[in-house]
Every structure is written in C-alpha cells, then in structure tokens.
Amino acid sequence: MKKQFKRIYIEISNICNLNCSFCSKTKREKRLMSIEEFEKAASAASGYTNKIALHVLGEPLLHPDLGVILDTARAYSLKISLTTNGTLLKSKGELLLSRCDVFKRINISLHSLEANTQLTEFEKSLATCSEKQRTPPDISDKMREYVNECADFAENSAKSGIYTVFRLWNLDSDEGVGRNSQNSLIGEILKSRYPEPQQDRYSGFRLEENTFLEYDGLFTWPTDASDTVTNTRGSCHGLCSQIAILADLTVVPCCLDSNGEIPLGNLKDDSLENILNSARAKNIKDGFKSGNLVEPLCRKCTFRTRFKTRNN
C-alpha cells in the first residue's frame, strides 16, 4: 500500500567527527537519539512511509547503538538510506554489511575530507603550488587512503545489493565556490578502482552494477541567520513527500531545517498524526500547493529549486 511520504528523515545524531565548511552549524544541543526514542520515531514513521534516511545533520556511524537502530528499522519494515562522510567505514563497514537487507542506499560524501576545516593548512600549501604540480604529498596520501577505504567498502556494499553512491557535491555554483581541488585526484583513484567504461548519467557516472558517482553544486543551507534573498513564491516537497524527525524527536517539514526553526510538534508529547494535522503544518502544505511560501525559512531556501531537476 502506498504511504503518504516517499521518505522520512530520522536524525539519530546531530554530532559529527568532522567540521566541514559546507555543513550547517546548528544551534541545537548536541545529542544522540536513544534506542527508546528511535523506536518511537520508527514506529510513528512506519505508518507514513516505507523508507527512512538516517540523517539531517551528524555522522550516523558515530552512534554507539547503530546495530540496534538498524535492527529496529527492520522490525518496522523500514528500508534505510544512509549518508556518511566515509571516514568510519573501515571500522563500521562490517556492521553495515551484516545488515545489508535493511538498506536501500548508502551515500558516501567524498567531498567531506577536503571540506573539513582541519585541512585548511593543506589547502594553503596547495594554493602555493604551480598548476602543473601534483597536490602536496601529505594531502594526496591522506586522500588516497580515504578514497580507497571508501571504495573497499563500496565494493562489498554493491555486491550485497545496496545501491552505493559516491557523492561530490562540491562543484562551484551560483551559491558559492566549492572546496573541490581534490576532485581530479578522487576521479583518478576511482577510475583505477573501476576501470571499465563508465556510463554517463544525468548527475555523474555509473561505475559498475549498484555503484555510482554523483556530482552536484555547492548549496547554502537556509537558516535564520542566512542573508539569502527571500522569495515569497514557490513550492517544495516538504510535508508532501518528506518530513524530518530531529534528534530530540522534534518534527520539522523537511531535511534542511537544521536548526529546527519550524517545529511542528514533538513525538515525546504528541502523535505524528496530530502533529501533521496541526494548523501550522496545514498552513505550510496549503501554501506549497498554491505556490506560496508562508514560512520565513522556506523563503530563504534555494535548495527547493533543485527538486525540478534532481530527486533528493
């Protein structure tokens, strides 16, 4: 039976082991979703979707009870999409593969390592090199180790039937200049790992069965501090094909509300049915249907325009 939402985002943690320049810096308290809280979220979500994504912010592989979370999702017949920065796949990959049946898709954000602010000094040294020089050994060695570890996991992941996607969402765009000086090196490494002819796709390449490389431009997260030009007209998939449940069980209209600026309710206090039928939720959804952006945060969001060309 078709359910209301294509997917629901469940943020099992808003804590990350990196500090990437492209990621929203949330004002919310850093926390892990407890097993009891996740079961409440999964139970509520299962009535409205067959698919969940374990992120809004944070690195899901950091969660100490990840195995229990995956088992709980399976118990509620929920298929999982997981997005990771890839740095923990060497230590956590076996856990993921042991529960391969619960996954629909795993995204590996290969743009994370260069965007991590800890690499600032490497970037400075890179800027001093001539165009014909290779990247400095310290950063290229680190990148090769990282990409190969991600590819080692992806090889097994794809064989297990998981749709596995390498992401480079760091291309220059109208919204800013991405940290992407390592993209050519990443491409070389992947080509050595996947030597067969790569099939062009609208967003990148098919490397082999169940394995893809996906490109996209840098985007700006909408926040209350954003100076993005506002627009009162437009629409979005929020509350139509997706919602998000933050780490403290606050329900928000979409996965880009990183600060929980549009709280519709909290699963600790109310049912998801009541939250989705609240006056604020109905007002937002009716606005989208008529082409009106009623919330200030939605008026600052530019990512919603990408829904016309790419399915998030």
Side-chain angles (χ1 to χ4, degrees):
M1 181 178 70
K2 186 176 181 181
K3 297 190 177 181
Q4 181 172 342
F5 297 119
K6 185 173 183 179
R7 68 175 59 83
I8 292 178
Y9 293 81
I10 302 180
E11 181 190 63
I12 62 174
S13 168
N14 60 9
I15 302 168
C16 190
N17 59 326
L18 298 183
N19 185 22
C20 297
S21 58
F22 59 79
C23 203
S24 174
K25 311 306 177 190
T26 184
K27 298 176 182 178
R28 292 182 285 127
E29 176 188 3
K30 299 292 186 182
R31 76 187 309 276
L32 297 168
M33 185 178 282
S34 70
I35 294 302
E36 294 74 20
E37 289 170 336
F38 179 77
E39 181 158 14
K40 183 180 286 289
S43 175
S46 65
Y48 291 86
T49 190
N50 296 314
K51 301 175 185 176
I52 60 173
L54 297 185
H55 67 280
V56 172
L57 294 180
E59 170 52 57
L61 300 193
L62 277 176
H63 202 295
D65 296 313
L66 181 60
V68 180
I69 284 173
L70 301 180
D71 293 341
T72 302
R74 182 195 292 113
Y76 284 99
S77 300
L78 293 168
K79 284 291 187 178
I80 291 175
S81 290
L82 183 146
T83 297
T84 173
N85 61 39
T87 59
L88 300 176
L89 285 173
K90 187 174 182 179
S91 60
K92 296 295 183 71
E94 186 174 342
L95 182 152
L96 300 180
L97 294 173
S98 70
R99 294 162 170 83
C100 61
D101 61 297
V102 78
F103 287 102
K104 174 68 175 179
R105 173 181 177 130
I106 293 180
N107 304 309
I108 305 172
S109 298
L110 293 182
H111 51 283
S112 299
L113 192 64
E114 183 176 1
N116 184 24
T117 55
Q118 294 177 14
L119 292 180
T120 300
E121 294 305 316
F122 291 148
E123 289 187 306
K124 288 179 180 178
S125 63
L126 179 63
T128 64
C129 295
S130 70
E131 291 184 1
K132 293 183 179 180
Q133 274 187 291
R134 291 286 183 182
T135 56
D138 45 13
I139 192 171
S140 63
D141 288 349
K142 188 177 183 73
M143 187 62 73
R144 287 183 186 281
E145 179 182 9
Y146 163 69
V147 175
N148 276 306
E149 286 179 0
C150 291
D152 287 343
F153 169 79
E155 181 179 344
N156 292 317
S157 174
K159 288 178 181 177
S160 298
I162 303 172
Y163 191 89
T164 308
V165 182
F166 297 113
R167 283 181 171 177
L168 285 174
W169 283 18
N170 60 359
L171 303 185
D172 297 349
S173 71
D174 292 339
E175 298 179 48
V177 177
R179 291 190 179 185
N180 52 36
S181 65
Q182 301 296 296
N183 282 14
S184 59
L185 176 59
I186 292 171
E188 288 177 14
I189 298 168
L190 291 179
K191 195 172 183 65
S192 70
R193 296 293 301 250
Y194 302 96
E196 296 298 320
Q198 299 178 357
Q199 299 177 17
D200 288 346
R201 301 178 75 241
Y202 74 97
S203 60
F205 301 94
R206 178 186 182 275
L207 304 181
E208 65 177 22
E209 186 177 4
N210 292 332
T211 311
F212 302 84
L213 172 61
E214 179 180 271
Y215 291 94
D216 210 334
L218 182 74
F219 72 89
T220 303
W221 288 74
T223 66
D224 59 3
S226 172
D227 59 0
T228 304
V229 177
T230 60
N231 190 340
T232 60
R233 295 290 297 170
S235 187
C236 183
H237 287 245
L239 282 170
C240 297
S241 67
Q242 59 145 302
I243 57 171
I245 302 171
L246 302 181
D248 66 351
L249 295 184
T250 295
V251 178
V252 294
C254 83
C255 62
L256 289 179
D257 189 358
S258 60
N259 278 323
E261 294 175 40
I262 312 177
L264 302 176
N266 193 293
L267 293 176
K268 293 178 182 177
D269 309 315
D270 209 345
S271 68
L272 186 54
E273 180 181 8
N274 286 343
I275 291 170
L276 294 176
N277 285 314
S278 66
R280 190 174 191 180
K282 287 183 176 180
N283 193 36
I284 294 169
K285 189 173 181 179
D286 289 345
F288 288 152
K289 288 180 179 179
S290 61
N292 292 313
L293 305 174
V294 300
E295 292 283 345
L297 187 71
C298 301
R299 294 174 180 178
K300 296 178 181 181
C301 182
T302 56
F303 192 83
R304 59 181 169 73
T305 62
R306 300 187 181 201
F307 290 136
K308 297 177 182 178
T309 56
R310 182 177 60 77
N311 186 19
N312 182 29

